[in-house]
Amino acid sequence: MNSLKFSVSMLTLCLGLVWAGNGVAAPTLDDDSQYTAAAKQRILPPDIPWQGKSQQLVAAKDNPFITVAEASDFRKSGDYNDTVAWLNRLASKSRDIKLVMLPEKTPQGRQMVMAVVSSERNKSPEGLRRSGKPTVYFQSGIHSGEINGKDAGLMLLRDLLVDNRYPGLLDKVNLLFVPSVNPDGEMRRGPHNRINQNGPDEMGSRLNANNLNLNRDFTKLDSAEIRNVAAVLDQWQPSFFADAHSTDGLSYQYDATYCDNGQGWAPAGKAWMDKVLHPHTERELKANGHIPNVCISMNDPTDVRKGYYPYFSDMARFSNQYADIRGIPAVLIEMHSIKPYQQQVLGNYILYKSFLEAVASDPKGLAAAIAQDQAARPAQTILAWKEPKQSPMVTFKGVKSKTHVSPVTGSKVLTWTNQPQDYQVPMTAFTEPDIVVARPRAYIVSAEWQEVIAKLKAHGIKMTEYTQPQTREVTLYRVKELSLGGGFEPDRVGGAKLPVYEGRLRVNTKVAPEVRQVVYPAGSVEIATDQPLGTLAMALLEPESPDSFLSWGFFNTMMGTAGDASAYVMEPMAKAMLKEDPKLAAEFKAKLKADPKFAKNPQARLNWFFERTAFIDSHRYLYPVAKIQ
C-alpha cells in the first residue's frame, strides 16, 4: 500500500482548518416542486411507544458540546461540515483526541476525517500499537442517509473526553472513529432521500457522488472512500471493527439489531464475541430499554412466517465481512429505521459503549483470538456459504398486521400496527460451506494487469515483484461457460437500464485448468497465501470466488477471441479435418443433432472447427491469474 502510506504531516490537523468540505457544496439535483403533497409524504407504521433509560444520555441544552441532533430534539443531524467543525472544537478542548485526514479525497474533493481517541500522547499507528491497548474502529455514514451512528459517536466522544462519564475507559482501549465514510453523499441532503426512515428531517444519499454503494466496494476498491478504509485497517491494525447502519423492511419490536459474521473466516474472533462481547452488549441494551436481536432481512416482506436472513457469512464485498476476512472481529449495526430517530441514536450509543467496554474487559483473550485467526492457513478454504436444508426455528418479536386488497397492486398488502405479537419463524442463515477450494502455495499476476496489482497492494496484500523475466510452470484456467452475472441482494431486486452491478459488468463462469509453461515479464507479482491476508488474496483471485476480480469483470477483455475464421479458408480445412479424423467427424455429427441452434448457424459451425486448429488464439477465454500448487 505504498501510495497510501500515512505521513507524519497527515496525522495533524490545525484548529480552525476548513478542509472538511474544501468549500465544496453538494450539487442540487433534487427538485420536488413537480410532485403533489401526497407524493412527498413519508408514511410509516405507527410508533411503538418507548421510554428508555438511555434517554438520560441526552445532553442538557446548555452543554457547550451538545450535538445538532440533541439540540434539535433529534429532528436534525448536522451535515459533514458541521461534524468536522464540532470535532475541531472538541480537539481544542481535549488532548486525548487528534483528527487525521485520510489519504484520498472523495470524488467531489472532500477529505475524510478520522478521530483518533486515546490517552496516549503518541497517536500515530505505531504509538497506539506500542501502548499495548486494543484499538477499536467505528465507522458510520457509509450509507449517509443512515446517519444515526455518526450522531451516537459524537455524543460518545463528548462523554468520554469532556463530560468524563466513563473515567478510566481510555486507559484500557484506544478508539478510531470515522463519522462519515461517504461525505459527498452526506452533503447531498434532502427530506426525500429515504422513504422508510423515521427521521431526521433531512438526510444524505445512500450512494456516493459516483453513484456507488460503498458497502459493496470492499473487494474491488473502486472508490477513494473505501480505499481509505482499507488503508486505515492496514496501517492501524484495529482489534475490533463496527459499521453503523439503519435497516428498513417490515415493522417489529426490535430497535437495536447487530450481527457478527456467523461461520465466517475468523472463527476464533467469533468465539470471543460469543463469550465476551455479545453477552455484555445484550445486557447493556436491555438495561437501557432497548430490544436487541441479530440483523433482520425478511425472506418475504408480505409474510413474516417465512422467516428472515441475518446477514451471517455473506461476502467480502461487505464491510464487516471484509474485516472478518482480514482476521478482525467485526459487527454490523442495523438500527431500525422506522423507530424514532432519538431511539435509533441512543441504541447505537449503547452499542458503541458496550463494544468498548467488552474489548477493554478482555484484551488478552481478544488478542489471542486475532492471532489465531490471522495465523490460520486452512488447506481447504471456504470462499462462500449457503443456507442449509434445515433452518432453525426462532422466536420473532413482531407486531400484528392487517391485510387488505390494494387497488394499486391488485393483491393483498399488509398494514402494520404497533401491537406486539410473537411468531415462530425460520432463521435462514448461511451456515453451510458452498465454495471450498484447495489453498495453493501462491498466485502470479502478470505485469500487464496493473489495475489488479494496484488493487491487491491497496488491500495491503504482500507480494514479490519479479525484477527480470521468469519462466514458471503454473496452472491457468480456461473459461468454458460464460454468462452475465448479477449482484447479491437477498432482500432487493432492482431493475436497471444496463446489466451492470455497482458499475461493473459481472460475469458467471465455469473454468477448466490447464498446466502450462509461462514466461512472466519483469513487473509481474507473486502472491503467497502464507500471509495474514492470504485468504483475502484467495477471495480476490480464485476464479470460482463470487468476489474475485474475474467475477467483478476486471478480465472481461479476455472473454473473447482475436477474430473468427473466414469461410474461404476454414471450410476446406474443416472438410480435410473431417476426412482425416473419424472421431472428430462423429463428434461434429452429434453436435449437429443435439443443438439445432448451432446446426442453423454457419459461422458457429465454422468456429467449432476453428477452435480445433492450431490457428486459434491461445489466450481466448483465458483467466490470466496463475496458481502455483
Side-chain angles (χ1 to χ4, degrees), residues 345-574:
V345 172
L346 295 179
N348 205 138
Y349 179 110
I350 297 299
L351 282 165
Y352 281 163
K353 179 186 78 76
S354 302
F355 295 159
L356 287 176
E357 291 169 340
V359 169
S361 73
D362 186 26
K364 290 183 179 179
L366 176 57
I370 293 170
Q372 181 178 335
D373 285 328
Q374 294 187 351
R377 309 287 189 265
Q380 296 295 315
T381 300
I382 304 170
L383 296 179
W385 287 262
K386 63 183 178 181
E387 182 185 341
K389 292 181 180 179
Q390 288 284 90
S391 294
M393 300 295 289
V394 298
T395 299
F396 180 77
K397 301 181 77 63
V399 295
K400 294 180 180 178
S401 63
K402 301 175 182 177
T403 302
H404 68 277
V405 177
S406 167
V408 176
T409 67
S411 62
K412 291 182 179 180
V413 298
L414 298 179
T415 302
W416 300 102
T417 72
N418 61 357
Q419 302 169 37
Q421 179 173 328
D422 290 354
Y423 302 84
Q424 291 296 308
V425 305
M427 187 174 74
T428 58
F430 282 17
T431 57
E432 184 142 328
D434 186 23
I435 299 174
V436 184
V437 298
R439 194 180 193 91
R441 184 166 65 83
Y443 299 91
I444 300 176
V445 181
S446 192
E448 61 267 25
W449 299 101
Q450 285 299 308
E451 181 184 16
V452 169
I453 293 171
K455 302 273 187 182
L456 293 165
K457 289 179 179 178
H459 283 290
I461 293 170
K462 307 304 179 189
M463 60 188 68
T464 300
E465 183 172 337
Y466 294 166
T467 58
Q468 57 187 11
Q470 293 199 28
T471 301
R472 306 297 300 271
E473 182 175 282
V474 298
T475 300
L476 289 169
Y477 289 89
R478 184 87 59 185
V479 174
K480 295 299 185 182
E481 295 182 27
L482 178 68
S483 62
L484 286 177
F488 174 74
E489 304 293 334
D491 57 347
R492 293 179 178 88
V493 178
K497 300 294 185 183
L498 293 171
V500 296
Y501 175 69
E502 293 305 306
R504 292 278 175 179
L505 189 66
R506 285 179 56 84
V507 295
N508 296 324
T509 61
K510 290 187 178 180
V511 298
E514 297 180 5
V515 177
R516 300 173 66 176
Q517 292 277 343
V518 179
V519 179
Y520 286 97
S524 301
V525 297
E526 185 172 316
I527 301 106
T529 61
D530 185 13
Q531 60 172 299
L533 298 184
T535 300
L536 174 59
M538 292 183 67
L540 297 171
L541 298 175
E542 277 292 328
E544 296 177 79
S545 168
D547 263 315
S548 71
F549 290 122
L550 175 63
S551 295
W552 277 112
F554 281 76
F555 296 101
N556 282 354
T557 55
M558 302 300 297
M559 299 302 113
T561 67
D564 293 337
S566 298
Y568 75 89
V569 173
M570 195 63 247
E571 194 272 342
M573 184 182 292

Side-chain angles (χ1 to χ4, degrees), residues 110-143:
R110 296 183 174 87
Q111 292 176 304
M112 289 171 60
V113 63
M114 180 172 73
V116 182
V117 182
S118 175
S119 59
E120 301 301 311
R121 289 189 178 274
N122 184 346
K123 293 180 174 59
S124 69
E126 296 77 16
L128 296 195
R129 280 194 285 274
R130 284 199 298 268
S131 75
K133 296 182 291 189
T135 295
V136 170
Y137 173 85
F138 293 155
Q139 67 175 37
S140 68
I142 194 170
H143 298 151

Side-chain angles (χ1 to χ4, degrees), residues 1 8 12 33 67 80 105 111 182 190 198 217 254 257 259 282 319 385 412 466 496 506 508 510 533 549 612 622 629:
M1 183 167 305
V8 173
T12 305
S33 60
T67 66
Y80 187 63
K105 291 184 178 180
Q111 292 176 304
N182 185 5
N198 193 354
D217 194 43
Y254 309 108
T257 67
C259 55
E282 290 201 15
S319 64
W385 287 262
K412 291 182 179 180
Y466 294 166
R506 285 179 56 84
N508 296 324
K510 290 187 178 180
L533 298 184
F549 290 122
R612 288 154 176 79
L622 189 69
Q629 303 292 357

Side-chain angles (χ1 to χ4, degrees), residues 51 148 156 189 270 321 325 418 434 487 555:
Q51 292 291 322
N148 49 270
L156 180 61
R189 298 162 62 81
K270 160 68 172 170
Q321 273 83 16
I325 204 170
N418 61 357
D434 186 23
F555 296 101

